Amino acid sequence: MLLDGSFEWLLHVHHTVDAWERENVRSEIRTSRFGTPTRLPTMQTALITGGNRGIGLAVARRLAALDLTVIIAARREQDARAAAEEVGARGVVLDVTVPATIHAAARWIDDEFGSLDVLVNNAGILPEVTNSEPKEIVDLAMFERTFATNLFGPVAVLEAMLPLLRRSAGGRVVNVSSTMGSLADQTNPSSPYYSMVMPAYQSSKAALNNITIALAKQLTDTTIKVTSVCPGFVRTDLTPISREQAPTSPEEAAEVVVQAATLPATAETGTFVGAGGAIAW
């Protein structure tokens, strides 16, 4: 089914997904697969893009509660400052689509801290959901806008921050992805995600997952671990219906992100996980 501007269709699909997950994911898996998040002794600093609201802000609160120095990145200075004051964190201007702000933030982190222990690539958009008149099944403008934030943005941030992560005794990279980007689910008629067709968003998340795999392979000789996570359908501003209709709170969604951000040294790298455990690529 193609997205035709109908929020009712999106809501129906997400409710189907939620029901499917409740049926197939037991609560004990949610609480025991990773264990309780624990700050590693070597972890001191964490940068969260899009950290001023939604999942990003919830993750910031959780990591700050683990005594990390959290750096909330936002596009506007006032948003970064307000969120940082709320959480007890530091704020920095960083727009993932503006390279100058990324490099300035990296220089500031270098000057202030000398290294970075956790990077959460959280910023993301889904403009297709409000594109009521797509030019075709594939709309170039939608791809350009979506990829600028969802793929090229994280890549630019990674390029700038990897030198700082390499200085960490145990760096962690968390790419906030989506099961909607799972090729296995997109091609499996029995999956509740099968009927979702939002090619720009889905391909941007599939590509981000590929970045996770490539980084994990290339960083095997380091202490850096890279994870893709799906937080689920969350009450955020990602779509017009999310805040009122989504079943998962930002605080609940933050759990899997924080788990990935605090992986122990013995944990596997290069995985794709959700609240219920491993997700097929």
Side-chain angles (χ1 to χ4, degrees):
M1 183 183 297
L2 294 176
L3 182 66
D4 58 1
S6 170
F7 298 148
E8 290 78 9
W9 168 77
L10 181 65
L11 179 59
H12 167 73
V13 173
H14 276 302
H15 279 177
T16 301
V17 170
D18 183 53
W20 180 84
E21 288 180 341
R22 285 199 304 270
E23 181 180 350
N24 289 278
V25 179
R26 299 292 183 261
S27 61
E28 62 264 26
I29 296 180
R30 290 182 180 271
T31 57
S32 68
R33 179 168 178 88
F34 299 101
T36 302
T38 303
R39 171 184 175 272
L40 299 179
T42 56
M43 285 187 176
Q44 298 182 21
T45 56
L47 172 67
I48 306 167
T49 66
N52 59 298
R53 61 181 182 173
I55 298 171
L57 185 58
V59 171
R61 288 195 187 97
R62 290 290 306 279
L63 292 179
L66 294 176
D67 294 328
L68 274 80
T69 297
V70 175
I71 305 164
I72 292 178
R75 291 179 296 173
R76 300 189 302 177
E77 182 179 356
Q78 59 266 39
D79 292 338
R81 183 187 304 114
E85 290 176 355
E86 177 182 340
V87 173
R90 305 289 294 274
V92 66
V93 175
L94 191 161
D95 184 333
V96 300
T97 66
V98 181
T101 67
I102 298 171
H103 295 305
R107 289 192 298 269
W108 177 77
I109 293 171
D110 191 6
D111 291 341
E112 287 286 314
F113 307 104
S115 65
L116 182 64
D117 299 303
V118 177
L119 169 61
V120 180
N121 277 316
N122 169 70
I125 60 173
L126 205 174
E128 281 166 298
V129 78
T130 55
N131 184 26
S132 59
E133 297 182 358
K135 293 179 180 179
E136 246 301 347
I137 296 172
V138 286
D139 186 323
L140 179 59
M142 286 292 100
F143 273 78
E144 291 176 335
R145 183 178 171 190
T146 303
F147 271 60
T149 296
N150 292 3
L151 180 65
F152 302 145
V155 168
V157 172
L158 281 162
E159 182 182 46
M161 301 300 168
L162 272 172
L164 296 170
L165 286 161
R166 290 179 187 274
R167 298 178 197 166
S168 170
R172 301 291 181 266
V173 175
V174 185
N175 291 324
V176 178
S177 184
S178 171
T179 306
M180 290 173 64
S182 164
L183 299 182
D185 278 272
Q186 289 182 52
T187 55
N188 178 6
S190 65
S191 169
Y193 292 91
Y194 181 76
S195 62
M196 291 186 179
V197 182
M198 286 180 273
Y201 182 78
Q202 289 172 303
S203 59
S204 74
K205 292 303 185 180
L208 184 62
N209 286 344
N210 185 261
I211 297 300
T212 293
I213 294 171
L215 282 175
K217 288 179 178 179
Q218 291 295 98
L219 295 170
T220 52
D221 61 344
T222 75
T223 58
I224 300 173
K225 296 186 184 297
V226 191
T227 310
S228 278
V229 302
C230 173
F233 184 31
V234 188
R235 293 194 289 274
T236 67
D237 295 323
L238 184 65
T239 76
I241 65 169
S242 295
R243 186 163 295 281
E244 294 183 358
Q245 303 291 347
T248 306
S249 70
E251 291 71 27
E252 292 168 329
E255 178 70 18
V256 69
V257 180
V258 174
Q259 298 282 8
T262 57
L263 287 178
T266 56
E268 186 179 359
T269 186
T271 61
F272 184 17
V273 298
I279 298 172
W281 298 106

